[in-house]
Amino acid sequence: LTDADIAEYYERNKIKYTDTNNVAVALDSVKDEIRTELLAVRAERMAGDRATEMSVKLVQTEGGTTPDFAKLAAEFGAEMKEPDSFGPRDTVSGVDAGQQFNQVAFALTTDAPYSDPVTGKDGFYVLQLLDRKPSRVPSFDEVREKVVVRLKQERTYEATVKRGQDAAAKVKQAVVKGKSFADACAELGLKFTSPAPFTLVDETPALPAAINVKQQA
């Protein structure tokens, strides 16, 4: 990256680099931040291009030979992983691409066994269908442990949401009656936090669910 690249990006995205008074900060103070951001964007774009190039070479021509997936992966310097069998909603070990990975995997067929690139958290995946197993409904004994864990999670979540809603209603009532927000929280044994000033576009407060907090604010 050149200084000109960074300056051009700064000028086009000045709104991202404003302080709490909506005044743009000096370029020098955010130069390293912009450089890191631009390098990450370019790296992702280059990785995506490489993954696309590999997937194009996997397209089988009519009457042609079947592509050698392992050989092609080696040529592109791509790491090969063969996971255990998984279902449509299972988390695949060693893969960080969410449900899109599963959706693409289960759309593959013996006639079209290779995928287009799937975007992951820090890379791209190109899939090859190796085998399919017929689906079945597992017995209760097989899934009992998972069911118990899921029920505990659901009950805990429901109880937590209800407790939060009740606490919020009580805090509002106390504030209406003249108490400060901090005092109302203290009476209910709630933790009170006052973050530093932040903007919607750039700074993120050091709070749980910070994105939601910004949108609500």
Side-chain angles (χ1 to χ4, degrees):
L1 286 173
T2 65
D3 287 344
D5 294 328
I6 295 172
E8 180 189 356
Y9 183 84
Y10 171 79
E11 290 298 330
R12 284 192 288 107
N13 298 275
K14 235 176 194 178
I15 191 171
K16 288 179 61 178
Y17 306 104
T18 55
D19 58 23
T20 53
N21 295 316
N22 287 326
V23 177
V25 299
L27 172 59
D28 286 344
S29 64
V30 292
K31 201 170 187 178
D32 290 341
E33 178 185 339
I34 294 175
R35 183 186 302 279
T36 300
E37 186 175 340
L38 281 177
L39 285 173
V41 169
R42 290 192 178 186
E44 182 177 3
R45 187 181 302 135
M46 289 174 66
D49 290 344
R50 290 284 286 166
T52 299
E53 186 182 350
M54 177 177 166
S55 65
V56 168
K57 291 194 173 186
L58 287 167
V59 176
Q60 299 181 63
T61 58
E62 189 173 348
T65 57
T66 302
D68 187 329
F69 190 89
K71 182 180 178 182
L72 196 58
E75 289 177 8
F76 278 81
E79 181 183 357
M80 284 268 294
K81 290 183 179 180
E82 185 175 331
D84 295 329
S85 297
F86 58 91
R89 290 175 294 278
D90 292 342
T91 299
V92 185
S93 177
V95 172
D96 194 351
Q99 276 297 302
Q100 185 188 8
F101 183 93
N102 300 54
Q103 291 168 1
V104 170
F106 277 83
L108 298 177
T109 65
T110 52
D111 293 329
Y114 307 109
S115 78
D116 290 334
V118 177
T119 306
K121 183 179 179 182
D122 55 4
F124 291 84
Y125 298 89
V126 178
L127 286 63
Q128 177 190 25
L129 173 64
L130 297 178
D131 189 24
R132 282 181 178 273
K133 292 184 178 180
S135 60
R136 68 181 183 86
V137 177
S139 68
F140 178 67
D141 287 340
E142 289 179 273
V143 297
R144 182 187 181 93
E145 189 175 334
K146 289 183 179 179
V147 171
V148 170
V149 171
R150 181 65 179 269
L151 276 174
K152 284 182 177 179
Q153 290 173 338
E154 289 181 0
R155 300 279 170 82
T156 302
Y157 176 77
E158 290 168 1
T160 304
V161 169
K162 186 177 185 309
R163 186 181 176 191
Q165 290 171 337
D166 291 345
K170 290 177 181 177
V171 168
K172 288 179 182 178
Q173 289 173 3
V175 170
V176 168
K177 291 178 181 179
K179 288 190 177 178
S180 70
F181 185 80
D183 288 343
C185 290
E187 277 195 4
L188 293 169
L190 302 174
K191 183 180 179 181
F192 172 77
T193 302
S194 182
F198 58 89
T199 67
L200 178 62
V201 177
D202 190 14
E203 292 93 343
T204 298
L207 296 170
I211 300 300
N212 291 335
V213 169
K214 287 209 301 184
Q215 291 172 346
Q216 289 289 336

